[in-house]
Amino acid sequence: MTKAQTKAVTSPAPSVRDMANAIRALAMDAVQAANSGHPGMPMGMADVATVLFTEALKFDPAVPGWANRDRFVLSAGHGSMLLYALLHLTGYPGMTIEELKNFRQFGSKTAGHPEYGHAPGIETTTGPLGQGLANAVGIALSERLLAARVGNDLIDYHTYVIAGDGCLMEGISQEAISLAGHLKLGKLIVLWDDNSISIDGATSLAVSDNELERFAASGWNTARVDGHDPAAIAAAIKAAKGDSSRPWLIACKTVIGYGAPNKAGKSSAHGEPLGGEEIKATRERLDWPYQPFDVPDHILSAWRAVGSRGAKTYADWAKRLSGANAEAKALISGRKLETALASAIAAAKTAFAADATKRATRVWSQLTLEHLVPALPELVGGSADLTGSNLTKTKAQVSITPENFAGNYVHYGVREHGMAAAMNGIALSGSFIPYGGTFLVFTDYCRPSIRLSALMEQRVVYVMTHDSIGLGEDGPTHQPVEHLSALRAIPNLNVFRPADAIETAECWELAIAAKKTPSILALSRQAVPNLRSDGPENQSAKGAYVVKASEGARDVTLIATGSEVGVAIEAAAALAKNGVSAAVVSMPSFELFRAQSESYRNSVLGDVPRVAIEAGVAQSWYEWLRPSDKFVGMPGFGASAPAAKLFQHFGITAAHVADVAQALAKKAN
């Protein structure tokens, strides 16, 4: 028998404190090795996390994607070593001790903040405070939606969140807790690390809210415990699991940097290494006489036993799933949508091609959804209190309420940021495709969540209507001018601005088919003409294409998006009367056009002068315009007036475009 085996046999069964100290040691060692990071929160919340994982959490590291697992969301993502230590100790694949030693280093699974997809067990990307809490609302909502469809025998899990003081200070937290309380998401349990310390010092420098009363006012159950008393923590979690009538906040009073003799309870423990001498003293204080990154066998074995505990629970669930009907299996696993999606879009395009009525693209979007929603039960729609303006609800949809989770439409209220973050949570849960609407200008209110959709490669569809000065009288506060360019700057985000009915249907198809990319659908308030009625090919998939060829040799190329494609076609007709041959290019997606071959891009744009037309600012257009080319669009903010007057005032008209194009063509010749 080896020395290590002898030690494992002779050592007593470790206590909760012993197991928690393994987390504390790994956290302070990893931060010290990286010379950066946040040791204080993992050390302070180690007792809470240990009780949660050993006594409450349902999981199986061998099957980390198990659909009925409990979800653990570390909203206070700066304390990432808490999560990484737990994943290593419980035996998640790939989370080796070497990964912990490479904390915050290039290429490691242990990034400074948890990154979804880097390692199994990381349920969502957190770091921007409050995002994880709001994601968890979507995850908890998804659990209720799925259970309503397949039964509690197959889907019945809790979502646990560790949130910090900063998470609760962020404005998104109020949107999230208000929505969760309204929907009575009783399987959502938030464990608040109530340590009263922020980077600047005591939280009393900036906040004096009574958080328990705030959560209670939003319809939550609340409790307060000593975050270093395992029995009290266990009792609180047990009570929360036993009463799922409303979501729970458990305030865990903790000491940041618990165990550090000179830094515990101080802001110096929050976001910097403890230092060699303090770590040495902490080891003595915690009675942890082991070398850095060394977890003794008897403690590691106890943790691994916790990790293996879920295997039987998973096996029993898998047997139940095997006997379920095909519809339930498909919803739980995420079905293949290609056939149903293609059929629904084909039907929509056929109907639209026979319809000569001028309608806003937001209306064409709703008519597209009338085909999609019945064909794709995975679609869960919603709006931030603008359903009648965004036109995101169809005849077939039923509102989700606390009494009816069998519905498929969420009334998010005036909570744009919370809506976007909750949709990320719904998407992460794996069974549903969320879409939600607001005005394009309010992408500013939910941009952090849109960015995280892109970073996490989640299929979330943002239906953003009233996409330009075309919304008219509401004025410049509601008229987006810089937003298209700003959104196009986000990597892995498809920004679609369709020109007519056919393009709107095609862009919806592309958005749903993009499994690892979120999409913006920028849609008009004002009516637009139908410009296409041709065949089954999705021409929008190319990003840009010639929607109207030149008559004879091309003299100038007019490039436009959305409602301005119609303006470009009118301008081309005016130019033809003056002997100038113009080709009109519709460019519904810069991102997809950028992905085409150089030869295709050149064939579309041509080598003649180019005029770009969009009712927004020019910035993102310089990718497609040369120094001698021209842009017709917005020089600044809009104004309050009827749409037609605004387009005339700002020169976004066929006549002005024709004048600019004619001057360019003349100069080129």
Side-chain angles (χ1 to χ4, degrees):
M1 183 177 290
T2 67
K3 182 178 179 181
Q5 289 171 327
T6 301
K7 186 175 183 181
V9 170
T10 58
S11 298
S15 65
V16 170
R17 181 57 50 83
D18 293 331
M19 296 175 74
N21 284 343
I23 297 172
R24 294 186 171 101
L26 290 172
M28 65 183 184
D29 289 343
V31 172
Q32 187 69 22
N35 198 30
S36 71
H38 300 75
M41 191 281 273
M43 296 174 72
M45 284 296 281
D47 295 316
V48 174
T50 299
V51 171
L52 174 63
F53 270 68
T54 58
E55 298 195 26
L57 199 71
K58 178 176 62 177
F59 69 107
D60 182 1
V63 193
W66 173 20
N68 199 39
R69 70 192 181 279
D70 286 342
R71 269 62 166 185
F72 171 59
V73 175
L74 183 68
S75 186
H78 54 274
S80 56
M81 267 309 304
L82 176 72
L83 176 58
Y84 301 148
L86 287 163
L87 297 181
H88 167 70
L89 292 168
T90 55
Y92 273 80
M95 192 56 71
T96 64
I97 198 68
E98 292 304 315
E99 291 291 347
L100 271 58
K101 291 179 179 178
N102 287 323
F103 178 55
R104 286 182 163 234
Q105 304 309 301
F106 182 77
S108 73
K109 301 179 189 297
T110 49
H113 294 84
E115 302 289 346
Y116 176 79
H118 280 208
I122 301 175
E123 299 286 1
T124 181
T125 294
T126 56
L129 293 176
Q131 286 287 336
L133 172 58
N135 292 165
V137 173
I139 294 171
L141 174 56
S142 183
E143 187 273 341
R144 290 289 78 206
L145 297 178
L146 190 54
R149 288 155 176 76
V150 304
N152 291 325
D153 190 46
L154 291 175
I155 294 297
D156 179 17
Y157 63 80
H158 283 78
T159 301
Y160 297 93
V161 181
I162 285 183
D165 293 302
C167 293
L168 303 191
M169 289 186 211
E170 290 285 359
I172 192 174
S173 72
Q174 183 57 37
E175 296 186 25
I177 69 172
S178 177
L179 180 61
H182 168 72
L183 290 173
K184 298 181 180 178
L185 299 177
K187 293 183 180 178
L188 174 62
I189 300 173
V190 174
L191 302 159
W192 169 32
D193 178 19
D194 180 16
N195 62 42
S196 302
I197 292 293
S198 64
I199 291 175
D200 282 357
T203 55
S204 59
L205 290 168
V207 65
S208 53
D209 299 353
N210 186 317
E211 294 293 356
L212 270 70
E213 290 186 2
R214 177 163 80 105
F215 275 74
S218 290
W220 288 55
N221 289 312
T222 64
R224 185 184 295 278
V225 299
D226 178 348
H228 302 298
D229 181 342
I233 298 164
I237 295 175
K238 183 178 180 180
K241 291 185 69 174
D243 178 1
S244 59
S245 62
R246 297 186 292 173
W248 278 83
L249 172 73
I250 302 174
C252 305
K253 193 61 185 174
T254 62
V255 177
I256 193 170
Y258 182 91
N262 303 301
K263 294 191 175 183
K266 299 177 181 178
S267 59
S268 57
H270 174 87
E272 61 188 49
L274 295 181
E277 289 302 313
E278 184 73 359
I279 287 177
K280 180 180 178 182
T282 303
R283 281 188 152 80
E284 294 175 359
R285 175 69 63 86
L286 296 176
D287 191 22
W288 189 264
Y290 310 108
Q291 294 300 308
F293 297 103
D294 179 21
V295 179
D297 288 352
H298 69 293
I299 293 178
L300 182 59
S301 296
W303 270 114
R304 292 291 160 87
V306 170
S308 62
R309 178 186 62 197
K312 183 180 185 306
T313 306
Y314 167 74
D316 291 343
W317 176 84
K319 288 180 182 178
R320 296 197 300 275
L321 180 65
S322 66
N325 61 46
E327 180 72 11
K329 290 178 181 176
L331 274 172
I332 289 171
S333 63
R335 76 179 79 211
K336 294 182 178 179
L337 301 171
E338 287 79 0
T339 302
L341 175 60
S343 297
I345 294 298
K349 289 173 71 173
T350 298
F352 297 170
D355 190 342
T357 309
K358 290 180 65 173
R359 293 188 175 94
T361 53
R362 63 172 176 157
V363 177
W364 290 120
S365 172
Q366 183 181 45
L367 293 173
T368 303
L369 284 168
E370 295 286 2
H371 290 271
L372 288 172
V373 169
L376 305 176
E378 296 85 351
L379 280 177
V380 174
S383 171
D385 198 49
L386 288 168
T387 296
S389 294
N390 301 145
L391 303 180
T392 40
K393 190 177 183 185
T394 69
K395 298 182 185 71
Q397 285 176 294
V398 176
S399 296
I400 293 164
T401 69
E403 297 75 35
N404 180 26
F405 288 105
N408 55 357
Y409 191 85
V410 186
H411 294 278
Y412 287 103
V414 187
R415 304 184 185 101
E416 296 90 352
H417 199 180
M419 174 182 73
M423 288 197 296
N424 282 341
I426 293 171
L428 287 162
S429 296
S431 292
F432 298 102
I433 303 170
Y435 71 87
T438 185
F439 291 168
L440 182 62
V441 74
F442 297 133
T443 53
D444 282 344
Y445 278 21
C446 53
R447 184 181 178 88
S449 294
I450 296 173
R451 184 175 184 271
L452 287 174
S453 300
L455 182 60
M456 292 191 287
E457 300 183 341
Q458 292 303 298
R459 177 171 46 186
V460 179
V461 184
Y462 297 94
V463 182
M464 300 301 182
T465 68
H466 297 59
D467 67 352
S468 74
I469 58 171
L471 71 87
E473 292 86 346
D474 277 342
T477 60
H478 284 55
Q479 292 167 0
V481 293
E482 75 276 26
H483 297 72
L484 288 166
S485 285
L487 291 164
R488 287 166 180 154
I490 298 177
N492 191 43
L493 175 67
N494 286 334
V495 180
F496 295 108
R497 191 168 185 242
D500 70 351
I502 300 297
E503 280 195 5
T504 302
E506 290 179 342
C507 290
W508 261 110
E509 180 177 29
L510 295 167
I512 293 176
K515 296 179 181 179
K516 292 189 175 183
T517 303
S519 299
I520 301 284
L521 294 176
L523 305 171
S524 73
R525 180 194 186 202
Q526 73 276 22
V528 297
N530 271 342
L531 307 174
R532 280 178 48 201
S533 60
D534 52 316
E537 181 185 0
N538 188 325
Q539 295 198 57
S540 297
K542 300 174 183 176
Y545 62 96
V546 177
V547 67
K548 181 185 179 301
S550 60
E551 297 178 7
R554 189 189 301 193
D555 296 317
V556 65
T557 302
L558 308 181
I559 318 165
T561 72
S563 52
E564 288 74 74
V565 177
V567 173
I569 287 179
E570 288 183 32
L575 286 166
K577 294 177 181 178
N578 292 326
V580 177
S581 182
V584 177
V585 172
S586 178
M587 190 179 285
S589 170
F590 285 21
E591 297 77 24
L592 297 185
F593 187 56
R594 189 181 300 125
Q596 304 306 309
S597 68
E598 183 178 3
S599 61
Y600 176 77
R601 295 197 305 269
N602 290 339
S603 71
V604 170
L605 298 176
D607 56 5
V608 296
R610 302 169 188 170
V611 179
I613 311 106
E614 187 172 72
V617 297
Q619 272 74 0
S620 56
W621 281 95
Y622 292 119
E623 181 176 3
W624 315 115
L625 299 180
R626 301 155 303 189
S628 59
D629 296 327
K630 296 294 183 181
F631 176 76
V632 175
M634 293 298 294
F637 294 111
S640 178
K645 180 66 176 179
L646 291 171
F647 277 96
Q648 182 181 5
H649 173 77
F650 289 107
I652 308 174
T653 63
H656 181 59
V657 171
D659 288 344
V660 171
Q662 182 139 358
L664 269 184
K666 183 177 179 180
K667 185 177 180 180
N669 292 329

